[in-house]
Amino acid sequence: MSRSPLITWSPSVTLVPTRVCFNACGYCSFRRSPAPGELAGDGPLSDGLDAGAARVRLKASPAAREVLLLSGELPPGSRGRGNWFARLRSLSALALAAGRLPHTNAGPLSLREMSALGRLNPSLGLMLEGLGPAYDALHRQAPSKRLAVRLGQLEQAGRLGIPFTTGLLLGVGESAAQRRDALELIALLQRRWGHIQEVILQPWRPDGTTAAPLPPEAVNALLSTIAEARRILPPEVHLQLPPNLWPADRLVEALEAGIDDLGGIDTGDVINPAYPQPPPPALAERLALRGWRLRPRLCVHDRWIPWLPAPLRRRAEAMAQQLAAAG
Ligand code: SF4
């Protein structure tokens, strides 16, 4: 084994501020279409998560340190955008008040929005997704998924000094060269700004009745991509694989190829509900048999904690110490 036998994960609980989304990505089973007039109004969204329901969710997950805010998107400049953004802020504040750390992934943000959320969230996220005609076709109805918009967001987060999570959605018809090109772009941004704490390598899986485990040939191709990502990305960037989308009996091969993080694990996966999350104790036990140690972490990786504004930094330092003492 050539790498340190340590693999991290983030005890996490997911809150969904809304599933309403003005994009319509070809692979999405998370989104809800806006009702007529819903995007033009400034009233609350019909499925908006209120503070009471959010508190109940947090109370039900006392061990979760990360609160993942995963939201559908309202169009920039729409009347409802202000309310939508106010909800992201208030849920972030609620997470902090409950002693947790929020991590928001809600699509592209204006400079002002990102800067405001960066004062409440130790880390933010946005998938780069990928580049090439396969993504263009899937994103024909998704204006915020244009490559230039996504790259601009990674650049903006770098300029603001916000620890950032990005990633690629893999297996939608892209070539190996296009995967490489996407990784090279992330590496370039990382060399310029240093803020990319992790890159998720997410295998695309069908949901609902067509859900199926990743076939062996796809696993083999992804193992090559993982090794390539480890070669291309600077060494401080963590490589993350969602364990529920990968065959359990081949997880160690992924770790040996370069994966060193399993991401946020909640009791379920709201994006891919057909793929149950492995319970972390069972995961730890399985990995221990092969010589790997599973260690919990915060949504912001240790190296980037010193980047945070003072109040968030103090809190993250204290929580990281608690996790280390418990682990
Ligand atoms: S932007 Fe996200 S929520 Fe909206 S359609 Fe695309 S994948 Fe679904």
Side-chain angles (χ1 to χ4, degrees):
M1 190 183 299
S2 56
R3 293 174 47 248
S4 153
L6 182 69
I7 174 102
T8 49
W9 70 290
S10 170
S12 171
V13 56
T14 305
L15 298 182
V16 177
T18 180
R19 287 177 185 252
V20 168
C21 189
F22 82 112
N23 294 308
C25 302
Y27 44 78
C28 182
S29 55
F30 169 88
R31 149 186 209 270
R32 188 172 71 69
S33 294
E38 198 169 14
L39 299 183
D42 52 12
L45 293 164
S46 51
D47 70 343
L49 180 76
D50 65 29
R55 282 195 196 94
V56 170
R57 277 287 286 140
L58 298 195
K59 216 170 164 190
S61 296
R65 291 289 155 266
E66 169 182 354
V67 177
L68 172 63
L69 294 172
L70 202 57
S71 184
E73 302 174 28
L74 264 69
S78 62
R79 273 185 75 192
R81 176 98 180 178
N83 272 345
W84 170 84
F85 186 70
R87 187 176 299 272
L88 295 179
R89 283 183 69 156
S90 65
L91 289 171
S92 298
L94 185 148
L96 289 172
R100 323 295 177 92
L101 295 176
H103 171 96
T104 298
N105 188 331
L109 300 166
S110 70
L111 181 64
R112 186 183 295 227
E113 288 169 345
M114 189 182 277
S115 165
L117 280 189
R119 287 193 287 278
L120 297 169
N121 287 242
S123 55
L124 296 174
L126 182 89
M127 296 286 279
L128 184 66
E129 309 277 9
L131 54 87
Y135 297 95
D136 296 345
L138 289 165
H139 294 147
R140 206 162 281 137
Q141 311 288 334
S144 76
K145 294 281 173 105
R146 286 200 308 270
L147 182 64
V149 174
R150 319 294 277 180
L151 289 172
Q153 287 287 298
L154 265 58
E155 181 94 23
Q156 179 173 280
R159 218 174 283 129
L160 290 170
I162 296 174
F164 210 77
T165 296
T166 189
L168 304 180
L169 181 65
L170 298 165
V172 300
E174 77 285 1
S175 67
Q178 286 157 351
R179 290 182 181 182
R180 254 195 313 277
D181 288 348
L183 290 165
E184 295 281 6
L185 283 173
I186 297 172
L188 194 71
L189 286 160
Q190 175 64 2
R191 283 194 285 271
R192 185 175 301 158
W193 300 107
H195 65 310
I196 294 176
Q197 56 165 3
E198 55 188 4
V199 170
I200 307 171
L201 298 175
Q202 179 168 338
W204 172 78
R205 301 309 305 131
D207 205 37
T209 53
T210 52
L214 203 57
E217 59 279 15
V219 172
N220 294 339
L222 284 168
L223 286 171
S224 304
T225 301
I226 292 167
E228 195 137 51
R230 193 58 291 162
R231 263 197 313 277
I232 292 172
L233 293 166
E236 71 276 11
V237 178
H238 297 278
L239 276 188
Q240 185 182 119
L241 180 73
N244 60 322
L245 304 180
W246 187 265
D249 60 349
R250 302 200 61 183
L251 186 55
V252 167
E253 288 175 70
L255 308 190
E256 285 168 349
I259 294 296
D260 66 353
D261 187 81
L262 299 179
I265 302 183
D266 191 355
T267 47
D269 177 344
V270 299
I271 300 288
N272 295 286
Y275 299 84
Q277 292 282 15
L283 201 51
E285 206 171 301
R286 178 186 280 266
L287 289 171
L289 290 174
R290 303 287 300 273
W292 291 82
R293 187 163 72 85
L294 190 62
R295 181 174 75 83
R297 62 160 175 91
L298 303 177
C299 59
V300 58
H301 286 265
D302 292 350
R303 179 190 179 99
W304 283 267
I305 291 177
W307 285 40
L308 301 178
L312 274 184
R313 191 181 66 237
R314 284 195 290 272
R315 179 182 291 238
E317 281 167 352
M319 289 173 73
Q321 276 170 15
Q322 282 164 10
L323 269 188

